[in-house]
Amino acid sequence: MNAPAAPSSSPSRLPDLIALAQEPSSETRRALLRELTDHFFGAPGHSPNEQALFDSVLSDLSAEMETVVRAELAARFATAPNAPPTLIRRLANDEAAVAGAVLRTSPVLSEAELIEVVRTRSQDHILAVTERAEVSEAVSDAIVEKGDDAALGSLLRNDGARLSRTGAETAVERAKANPALHEAAVARRGLPADLLNEMYFVVEARLRQRILEQNAAMDPTLLESALAAGRARIATVDGALPADYAESLAYVEELKAAGQLTPQMLARFLRSGGKTSFIIALAQLSDVDFHTAAQIIERRELDALAVICRAADLDRAIFLTYAVVLLNTEGDAMGKAHGYARMYADLTRDAAMRTLRFWRMRRGVQAA
């Protein structure tokens, strides 16, 4: 059944082939299945009645065949635009070794039928659906809901798969929690920019750099719509404030009113152990919310700190001072800090400011 056979029968042979389907012998039925398949592809065309007969008999015969025969049948009919629909549905819901070819390529399967497979069959079935040349938003949403991380990664890497806004949001939330999905999410073509920037704090340095590059290349007219979409999504509860927050805020405000809240003063906060004051001042300097700034400092996200300092147009020496103090408990703090300083020099202010606008969304929403 692998190689297409030259048509050995004419359309008038079909009734005889149908009659043979009543034979009890499995060998006879297997031979008949092959002959019917060859006849289907060899004849120039079929009437509606013939098409229905093919569908009925092929479906019934295939159900009684062993896996390898059904898999061959699925491979033969997978790309046929006129394949018998009942047969295709049966094959699509067969075990994964049979269904795969049909789920990946059959143009006969409807959106509803694909969604049903995704919702009711195995992860191997779902993975096959993610590999279709085109996947609709509705099917993608079902995959995001029901598929495992392997299926989600395959879907994200498929440029022919369309994602709804809701599906993209859910996909990003899942990707943030699994490093194996980070690259697929960041490299996803057409991922909304606000969702792309949500990946920044969880991915490795090279992927952060890719996000910065995409921010720098973003059309300014698209930036505002991306920010608006992000603001609509942000949750406003990020966690409790530290015990010394009120006292530190009062001190920072006092220094600010006196004109003494300078980048050098922030360095003094760090050196003296006034971390909360430093975070409050950093948040005010960059106009981001306290929790975003705290995350950067608590996790020593020095490349993110570089974005803030570069957007504020601070001298590289100031950034280097912050970096050395934050890294002072690690070995070779100066060497590591100088590595970040080189990155700082390569970071354009425009890219930093565009990235910072996404981080500022939380502050804008919380203030509303």
Side-chain angles (χ1 to χ4, degrees):
M1 194 163 67
N2 287 329
S8 57
S9 53
S10 65
S12 61
R13 168 86 169 125
L14 181 58
D16 297 331
L17 295 176
I18 300 300
L20 285 176
Q22 307 303 316
E23 290 288 333
S25 166
S26 61
E27 285 300 319
T28 299
R29 284 170 171 260
R30 184 168 179 171
L32 175 60
L33 183 64
R34 286 196 169 95
E35 189 170 356
L36 276 170
T37 301
D38 289 340
H39 184 71
F40 179 88
F41 285 104
H46 306 291
S47 69
N49 286 339
E50 286 181 330
Q51 187 79 8
L53 282 172
F54 271 119
D55 202 357
S56 175
V57 177
L58 285 171
S59 297
D60 291 343
L61 286 174
S62 65
E64 301 173 7
M65 296 295 104
E66 58 265 38
T67 299
V68 65
V69 176
R70 300 198 309 276
E72 290 176 4
L73 190 69
R76 187 81 182 270
F77 280 96
T79 59
N82 63 334
T86 303
L87 173 66
I88 290 298
R89 285 194 295 272
R90 182 187 292 273
L91 293 172
N93 284 279
D94 205 324
E95 60 186 278
V98 175
V102 169
L103 292 175
R104 291 185 188 94
T105 59
S106 177
V108 175
L109 290 169
S110 69
E111 180 179 82
E113 288 164 347
L114 289 169
I115 291 174
E116 181 67 15
V117 168
V118 169
R119 294 193 178 281
T120 61
R121 304 299 295 169
S122 74
Q123 291 298 325
D124 287 336
H125 287 78
I126 297 175
L127 183 62
V129 176
T130 70
E131 296 170 358
R132 293 178 68 86
E134 295 183 358
V135 184
S136 71
E137 286 189 0
V139 175
S140 291
D141 284 350
I143 292 170
V144 172
E145 178 187 353
K146 296 293 186 180
D148 61 15
D149 283 355
L152 179 58
S154 177
L155 184 72
L156 289 171
R157 288 187 288 271
N158 183 356
D159 288 337
R162 301 195 306 276
L163 283 173
S164 69
R165 172 71 195 197
T166 300
E169 290 175 359
T170 304
V172 165
E173 286 304 313
R174 290 181 56 185
K176 285 161 66 176
N178 184 355
L181 294 173
H182 287 180
E183 182 148 18
V186 172
R188 168 72 189 175
R189 184 178 299 175
L191 185 69
D194 62 299
L195 300 182
L196 175 67
N197 277 272
E198 285 197 21
M199 297 294 300
Y200 184 90
F201 289 107
V202 299
V203 300
E204 62 182 344
R206 66 183 182 85
L207 295 178
R208 290 184 173 193
Q209 182 59 35
R210 185 181 296 184
I211 293 171
L212 291 175
E213 291 169 357
Q214 291 193 46
N215 287 343
M218 191 186 310
D219 185 335
T221 60
L222 298 178
L223 179 60
E224 289 304 324
S225 61
L227 291 168
R231 291 188 192 102
R233 169 177 163 75
I234 289 171
T236 60
V237 179
D238 288 292
L241 296 170
D244 62 343
Y245 179 83
E247 179 184 355
S248 299
L249 177 61
Y251 182 45
V252 169
E253 293 294 348
E254 180 182 337
L255 292 173
K256 186 176 179 180
Q260 297 176 9
L261 191 63
T262 63
Q264 291 75 17
M265 180 60 74
L266 269 67
R268 287 180 58 187
F269 289 154
L270 278 181
R271 291 195 185 100
S272 64
K275 185 165 66 175
T276 301
S277 295
F278 177 80
I279 294 171
I280 291 171
L282 183 68
Q284 292 193 7
L285 174 72
S286 54
D287 196 28
V288 298
D289 71 289
F290 176 85
H291 294 288
T292 299
Q295 176 176 303
I296 292 170
I297 301 308
E298 295 290 350
R299 299 182 184 179
R300 297 179 185 179
E301 306 274 12
L302 294 191
D303 51 352
L305 179 61
V307 170
I308 285 179
C309 294
R310 192 71 182 88
D313 206 20
L314 298 188
D315 188 80
R316 185 171 64 166
I318 290 292
F319 167 72
L320 182 59
T321 299
Y322 298 163
V324 170
V325 177
L326 288 170
L327 294 170
N328 66 358
T329 60
E330 300 182 9
D332 191 26
M334 184 61 74
K336 291 179 180 178
H338 275 291
Y340 283 109
R342 286 191 293 273
M343 185 209 74
Y344 186 83
D346 293 336
L347 178 64
T348 68
R349 187 165 184 240
D350 182 64
M353 292 178 70
R354 286 173 182 242
T355 301
L356 196 60
R357 291 192 68 182
F358 286 101
W359 301 352
R360 285 172 174 164
M361 288 188 302
R362 289 187 179 275
R363 185 178 182 90
V365 170
Q366 290 175 340

